Amino acid sequence: MSITVNHVPVLYAEALDGLHVRPGGRYIDCTVGGGGHAAGILERSAPNGRLLGLDADPEAIALAGERLQRFADRVVLVNENFAHLGEVAEAQGFTAVDGVMLDLGVSAFQLGPAGRGFSFQTEAPLDMRFDPRQSTTAADLVNRLPEDALADLLFLYGEETRSRRIAHAIVAHRPLTTTTQLAQVVAQAVGGRGRIHPATQSFQALRIAVNQELEVLEAALPQAVDLLAAGGYLAIIAFHSLEDRLVKQFLQREARSCICPPGAPVCVCGHRATLRLVTRGAIQPSLAEVQRNPRSRSARLRVAKRLSGESVNQ
Ligand SMILES: C[S@@+](CC[C@H](N)C(=O)[O-])C[C@H]1O[C@@H](n2cnc3c(N)ncnc32)[C@H](O)[C@@H]1O
């Protein structure tokens, strides 16, 4: 089945403004996806700005390659997880850059009819891997985890308060191989069809666990700061509260010059602020954007500016 780019970039103008994209600048898009934000960065940085784009999903890299073809040698695309951002950027000569962007989550084409298992609205095998080279799928977790561990996973990553009941129902109906089977089992276990499908949080939890989303984000953030030149900008769009909290806490910590426990008589941490917060709270999509693109409704954009050349890890 051929795949087309139907992803509408979220908080597009806000993210590009936050990055202060300028002609001749050098940028890294850690989640290039369908190339929407990347195309905007390349347009605004014309005539000679450059962009390194990463994506864990080879299909995203292929799509972005087509969409960004017109920018020729101003763009380099690499099929890699952003957990390895530092290595990839060094290898491609993208250090001391003017901006780094992360637009977390799923591209629209990954939710679509090609069936990657991310959505309960599309019948597909329970996969949910961004990177097909990775071994563990959602089906492995659903069919192999002990009931308690499955309930903990749903609670921790989906903030699902009915996790025990759902895990019990899943175990009783194993093996489950498709998205619609899982969605039905969850719906039967917890009942009701409100505005939000009862399987929404369970699907989120499995996707986060399959892709180790919180762990790789935690690994990538300090690398992103270290790759910025002084005065460069970091822009991050998060789509669920767990990743937004992680981003917010990281940015706040990096914006403080001392991270000693409150009440410590003298500073012993040796920490130096590496960022200045540009956005105090998160920027959210306007009502008009949410109406145009309902997928944008949970997006939260945070922007920070690099202060000095000091490493985050010092
Ligand atoms: C919301 S989409 C990005 C869309 C893009 N900004 C655009 O405008 O087309 C998120 C992308 O991040 C990718 N992704 C998710 N986790 C990743 C990771 N750890 N490393 C690299 N790419 C990742 C997904 O495959 C997906 O294509």
Side-chain angles (χ1 to χ4, degrees):
M1 183 178 307
S2 86
I3 300 166
T4 49
V5 182
N6 54 357
H7 184 86
V8 180
V10 168
L11 290 167
Y12 175 81
E14 293 85 347
L16 265 56
D17 291 348
L19 284 171
H20 291 71
V21 180
R22 60 167 182 84
R26 292 158 70 246
Y27 300 91
I28 304 178
D29 184 345
C30 303
T31 51
V32 74
H37 287 103
I41 293 170
L42 285 157
E43 275 158 16
R44 283 205 197 177
S45 63
N48 55 348
R50 299 196 70 224
L51 178 121
L52 167 64
L54 276 71
D55 205 292
D57 183 349
E59 274 178 359
I61 291 293
L63 282 172
E66 277 171 39
R67 179 155 188 187
L68 303 176
Q69 216 170 16
R70 66 193 155 108
F71 299 103
D73 58 0
R74 290 174 54 209
V75 53
V76 181
L77 297 175
V78 179
N79 178 205
E80 188 51 271
N81 195 301
F82 57 57
H84 308 297
L85 174 61
E87 267 167 58
V88 174
E90 291 248 349
Q92 299 296 336
F94 273 78
T95 53
V97 297
D98 299 285
V100 177
M101 149 135 215
L102 288 105
D103 175 18
L104 301 164
V106 185
S107 283
F109 77 84
Q110 292 165 328
L111 296 169
R116 303 281 298 271
F118 291 111
S119 169
F120 45 78
Q121 284 165 344
T122 312
E123 167 82 8
L126 275 174
D127 187 325
M128 300 199 196
R129 292 170 299 173
F130 288 126
D131 183 347
R133 294 167 296 192
Q134 193 191 300
S135 56
T136 304
T137 65
D140 294 330
L141 298 179
V142 161
N143 294 314
R144 291 189 197 159
L145 280 181
E147 187 176 322
D148 277 357
L150 191 53
D152 289 348
L153 182 155
L154 298 176
F155 182 71
L156 193 65
Y157 294 142
E159 300 179 291
E160 174 55 87
T161 50
R162 303 155 300 179
S163 59
R164 307 250 153 244
R165 215 185 318 158
I166 295 173
H168 187 72
I170 289 174
V171 169
H173 288 87
R174 286 175 180 176
L176 298 174
T177 55
T178 69
T179 48
T180 40
Q181 279 176 347
L182 175 61
Q184 261 169 23
V185 167
V186 175
Q188 273 164 19
V190 292
R193 278 199 77 121
R195 206 168 53 84
I196 296 187
H197 190 283
T200 305
Q201 286 155 279
S202 299
F203 271 67
Q204 173 188 302
L206 286 164
R207 198 197 81 204
I208 293 176
V210 164
N211 297 290
Q212 300 186 308
E213 289 184 25
L214 301 178
E215 291 84 350
V216 293
L217 180 58
E218 203 165 12
L221 291 174
Q223 299 179 53
V225 176
D226 278 352
L227 286 167
L228 284 169
Y233 290 88
L234 175 61
I236 306 166
I237 303 176
F239 285 85
H240 55 77
S241 58
L242 298 173
E243 67 190 6
D244 185 48
R245 196 176 310 145
L246 197 157
V247 169
K248 179 174 146 188
Q249 286 172 353
F250 173 81
L251 297 182
Q252 283 176 343
R253 180 181 188 274
E254 286 311 310
R256 283 165 57 192
S257 48
C258 169
I259 52 168
C260 289
V266 286
C267 171
V268 289
C269 68
H271 186 262
R272 294 284 165 271
T274 58
L275 295 174
R276 181 173 67 74
L277 302 182
V278 176
T279 48
R280 289 280 151 192
I283 298 177
Q284 298 183 32
S286 63
L287 193 60
E289 176 167 1
V290 175
Q291 277 166 352
R292 255 193 339 268
N293 179 16
R295 276 185 191 139
S296 69
R297 69 182 173 278
S298 50
R300 302 280 178 276
L301 167 67
R302 295 181 189 272
V303 181
K305 183 175 185 178
R306 182 72 159 109
L307 286 179
S308 72
E310 248 175 284
S311 168
V312 175
N313 297 314
Q314 270 176 6

